[in-house]
Amino acid sequence: MTQTSSVITPFRIDVPQADLDELHARLGRTRWPDALPGVGWSYGVDRDYLIDLTEYWRTGYDWREHEARLNRLPQFITEIDGQTVHFLHVRSPEPDATPLILTHGWPSTPADFLDILGPLTDPRAHGGDPSDAFHVVAPSVPGFGFSGPTRDTGWDVPRIARAWDELMSRLGYDRYGAQGGDYGSLISPALGRIAPDRVVGVHVNALADAATVTGSGRELDELSEADRAKVTENQMWWYGHNGYATQMALRPQTIAYALNDSPTGQLAWNLEWFVDWDPTTTDQAPVDRDIVLTDVTTYWLTGTAGSAARLYRESGSSWGSKPAPSGVPTAVANFRGDRAVRGLAERANTVVRWNEYPVGGHFASLQAPVELVADIREFFRSVGGR
């Protein structure tokens, strides 16, 4: 890993008003395509829904409110391996709290964690046991948001994990836990493989690499009948939903031109995944629209929608491959709509805890924050995080 500077600098979001005015002007000039009558979301994002949400983004959504909420938290930037890394660092009032690094996925940002930071860092103030407290570090994945665009190729899952271990070292954390969902569910276990003597445990939700198999499918023979049936169902589902991932894994630069030029197009591209992952709705985003718009606005203002898409290209070569075995204790929380199969998860992880929840969804920190926090607390209590 190239070491450039270990300086950690305080960071504050301060978007020029001219940038917001330009965004609103572009939204007002959206060139809308036609849409077939009566197809709803079956051909992609519903046009009428997107028109309404875009108008709200232009006239109702208040970026300054969400900017101020983020700025109430300690934020920093540093440079690791030639890449700017932005992160939240919220220390617990409990001096013996367990350090914990939270990693988001696509199309998210650390803003998705705002509702769980208080309960994680200060359980005493939220009706919990102070012994369950964490010092939380929540970085923006390289290429996403305030970490800025990636500057070179190769920012795949293992490289991000190495950067995270370096970040925790710079912050003085010798032993720590890792938690993540979506792409964070890949980065967090990779962190355990890279630094098994430092990572006390890995907790994941929306586990992304334990739902399907590739190649000859010999892995299926090692699974139970129930798990094989679930994998088959997952593969059929993925066949109808993987268009976005295929595009970003093969030709991210092509889609980057559209994403970087049209805020409405960027909103549609990101919004589809929020809707696709919730089995209870096919006609609206399953999380608060301000949350979706905060993530999308962050991508827009930082010009990182195309750079975020590159993560799929950088990591595409490892899709479906079996990672190196990890001996780090691992917990999996499957929320409603998640498709991880335990037999596949156990191929490369030491799974010591597996819970299925009938609530929430793929974006658990937004859809089931209470259950997610409880699961994280219970797991790290069991592995002796402190």
Side-chain angles (χ1 to χ4, degrees):
M1 178 181 294
T2 302
Q3 296 294 331
T4 49
S5 173
S6 60
V7 174
I8 294 175
T9 305
F11 179 83
R12 181 177 177 82
I13 305 168
D14 187 14
V15 173
Q17 185 59 42
D19 291 355
L20 296 176
D21 293 343
E22 196 261 354
L23 166 60
H24 295 154
R26 282 177 177 262
L27 292 171
R29 295 195 302 270
T30 298
R31 185 176 179 223
W32 293 101
D34 72 306
L36 295 173
V39 299
W41 290 74
S42 64
Y43 277 55
V45 173
D46 180 76
R47 183 177 183 269
D48 291 342
Y49 183 90
L50 189 62
I51 288 174
D52 289 343
L53 185 57
T54 299
E55 182 62 14
Y56 172 71
W57 192 8
R58 187 178 73 86
T59 62
Y61 170 79
D62 185 357
W63 165 258
R64 294 301 187 196
E65 173 188 340
H66 298 279
E67 179 183 72
R69 188 181 180 201
L70 284 163
N71 281 335
R72 286 194 285 270
L73 299 169
Q75 298 177 76
F76 304 88
I77 56 171
T78 191
E79 188 172 323
I80 302 175
D81 199 11
Q83 173 66 36
T84 298
V85 174
H86 161 266
F87 62 98
L88 309 179
H89 185 199
V90 186
R91 288 187 59 84
S92 171
E94 309 296 338
D96 295 329
T98 300
L100 179 68
I101 185 164
L102 300 179
T103 306
H104 66 84
W106 184 90
S108 298
T109 70
D112 287 14
F113 297 133
L114 293 186
D115 286 342
I116 66 174
L117 290 178
L120 287 175
T121 59
D122 193 2
R124 188 193 301 268
H126 293 81
D129 186 337
S131 67
D132 289 327
F134 298 92
H135 300 307
V136 173
V137 179
S140 296
V141 170
F144 287 64
F146 296 107
S147 282
T150 47
R151 300 168 182 168
D152 58 359
T153 61
W155 276 101
D156 57 6
V157 166
R159 187 175 178 185
I160 296 169
R162 290 192 293 273
W164 277 194
D165 187 52
E166 170 63 21
L167 176 60
M168 296 303 273
S169 293
R170 290 187 189 181
L171 295 174
Y173 296 135
D174 295 327
R175 296 272 288 166
Y176 57 89
Q179 200 285 329
D182 191 80
Y183 250 102
S185 77
L186 307 181
I187 296 166
S188 299
L191 189 49
R193 295 183 181 95
I194 286 166
D197 56 332
R198 288 162 48 77
V199 177
V200 299
V202 172
H203 183 285
V204 296
N205 63 283
L207 181 55
D209 65 349
T212 62
V213 298
T214 58
S216 66
R218 284 194 299 269
E219 301 95 332
L220 283 175
D221 297 334
E222 303 170 4
L223 301 177
S224 68
E225 183 177 348
D227 278 356
R228 285 198 300 272
K230 189 171 183 180
V231 169
T232 300
E233 177 187 334
N234 287 345
Q235 290 182 164
M236 293 177 63
W237 182 89
W238 183 237
Y239 179 78
H241 293 78
N242 69 3
Y244 82 101
T246 300
Q247 175 66 42
M248 294 195 292
L250 297 178
R251 297 291 187 268
Q253 190 62 33
T254 301
I255 192 66
Y257 299 113
L259 298 179
N260 202 60
D261 190 60
S262 170
T264 302
Q266 186 190 121
L267 174 59
W269 187 254
N270 290 22
L271 178 66
E272 184 178 77
W273 197 230
F274 279 100
V275 174
D276 265 0
W277 261 100
D278 193 299
T280 66
T281 180
T282 56
D283 60 359
Q284 60 182 328
V287 299
D288 185 272
R289 60 184 179 175
D290 272 29
I291 295 294
V292 175
L293 291 175
T294 295
D295 286 341
V296 172
T297 305
T298 298
Y299 284 26
W300 177 262
L301 295 172
T302 57
T304 56
S307 180
R310 289 200 290 265
L311 177 59
Y312 285 75
R313 168 74 178 189
E314 302 295 351
S315 300
S317 62
S318 63
W319 282 12
S321 62
K322 180 180 177 181
S326 171
V328 175
T330 300
V332 179
N334 256 1
F335 289 88
R336 183 177 60 201
D338 286 340
R339 296 177 176 273
V341 176
R342 182 162 188 166
L344 295 182
E346 289 177 336
R347 291 186 304 161
N349 302 288
T350 302
V351 178
V352 299
R353 178 184 174 90
W354 184 280
N355 277 337
E356 304 272 352
Y357 290 93
V359 297
H362 188 73
F363 304 91
S365 66
L366 303 174
Q367 296 172 278
V370 173
E371 291 81 2
L372 178 62
V373 167
D375 207 89
I376 294 171
R377 287 175 177 171
E378 292 168 11
F379 168 64
F380 283 102
R381 190 186 308 146
S382 72
V383 297
R386 281 158 298 283

